[in-house]
Every structure is written in C-alpha cells, then in structure tokens.
C-alpha cells in the first residue's frame, strides 16, 4: 500500500460559532381567533408560544425587522390577558406562498406575567396532547 494512513484530526474545543439552544418547547397554536397578541394597536394571530416568547403570522414582510423592540404588547388567550409586555423581534422566516413568521422574545418579564404565560403554555400543551391522544382512539 502506497497510500498514507488516515489519521483522525483533533476537534477544536471551542467553536467560534455561537451556541443556539432553545430553552423551552414551542407549543403550536391551533385556535388563532381566541389566541392573539396586540402590537401597536394591531392584532396578530399566534403561530406558536413558549415560556419566553411567541411566533406571530403576518402578511406583510416589512411589518417588523430583526432586533426591533416592541413595547406595551398585550397577549390574549381566551380569558387570560397579559398587558404591558415588552419584547424584541429575534427572527423572521417565510415559506413560499405563506405568511411571514416573526419570532418575538419577551424581555424584562415580571414574575406575575411569567407565571401567567406559563399557565397559558401548560394549558395549550395539555389541549394539544389531549387532541393527539383522542386522534389515536
């Protein structure tokens, strides 16, 4: 054999790329009429929700920009309303022929607001799991 041997290269311990790890599970929102957010006097349906943010659906690609701060938002889920939420746009995505999805991360959440969001997320997760279970029966 005249070929040089194959050796393993060492893996660099620290990558220069930032580590992106989702801290909480996103729950998809099926009832977009009763679960929505009010931003700058405009109502947007939720795509999904997690403990520290939401995804909203928007028809206009220029509605928001990444890193844009959002002040005094109002999150509504059936009979629960959480006012004076602040956030920022963390990502924008779109699928061909569909609405734009904007990811919003809440900033400076007070404990009461955080607890109420947690209640909403848990309730929606339970409904989702219940619906999945019923589809198998």
């Amino acid at each position: 054999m005249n070929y040089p041997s194959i050796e393993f290269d060492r893996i660099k311990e620290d990558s220069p790329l930032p580590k992106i790890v989702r801290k909480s599970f996103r729950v998809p929102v099926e009832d977009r009429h009763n679960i929505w957010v009010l931003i700058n006097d405009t109502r947007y349906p939720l795509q999904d929700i997690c403990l520290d943010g939401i995804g909203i659906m928007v028809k206009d690609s220029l509605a928001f920009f990444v890193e844009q701060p959002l002040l005094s938002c109002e999150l509504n889920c059936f009979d629960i309303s959480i006012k004076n939420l602040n956030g920022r746009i963390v990502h924008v995505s779109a699928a061909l022929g569909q609405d734009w999805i904007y990811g919003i991360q809440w900033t400076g959440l007070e404990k009461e607001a955080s607890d109420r969001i947690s209640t909403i997320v848990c309730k929606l997760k339970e409904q989702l799991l219940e619906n999945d279970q019923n589809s198998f029966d």
Side-chain angles (χ1 to χ4, degrees), residues 7-136:
E7 295 182 21
F8 293 104
D9 289 334
R10 287 187 171 268
I11 297 174
K12 293 181 181 179
E13 291 183 26
D14 291 326
S15 171
L17 297 174
K19 293 180 182 178
I20 300 172
V21 178
R22 179 162 303 282
K23 294 180 182 176
S24 58
F25 177 74
R26 286 193 222 176
V27 179
V29 173
E30 295 175 352
D31 186 347
R32 296 193 175 126
H33 296 288
N34 292 309
I35 304 171
W36 47 274
V37 66
L38 190 67
I39 302 171
N40 299 329
D41 297 322
T42 302
R43 184 173 159 164
Y44 298 97
L46 267 61
Q47 172 75 21
D48 53 43
I49 186 170
C50 66
L51 297 175
D52 60 354
I54 57 174
I56 61 171
M57 297 183 346
V58 180
K59 299 215 179 286
D60 183 4
S61 65
L62 302 175
F64 303 103
F65 57 89
V66 174
E67 294 298 325
Q68 177 180 351
L70 303 173
L71 304 175
S72 300
C73 302
E74 179 182 328
L75 179 62
N76 290 276
C77 178
F78 296 103
D79 59 342
I80 300 173
S81 178
I82 307 167
K83 297 181 181 189
N84 297 318
L85 294 170
N86 297 321
R88 68 184 178 96
I89 301 293
V90 291
H91 74 83
V92 180
S93 61
L96 191 59
Q98 294 183 356
D99 295 338
W100 291 81
I101 307 296
Y102 288 86
I104 298 171
Q105 180 183 42
W106 300 126
T107 58
L109 275 179
E110 294 181 5
K111 177 151 178 35
E112 182 181 346
S114 180
D115 290 346
R116 294 179 84 193
I117 291 171
S118 179
T119 299
I120 291 170
V121 171
C122 288
K123 182 185 282 188
L124 291 174
K125 186 176 177 182
E126 286 173 10
Q127 287 177 359
L128 183 67
L129 293 174
E130 184 178 300
N131 290 344
D132 283 349
Q133 183 64 32
N134 289 339
S135 67
F136 289 116

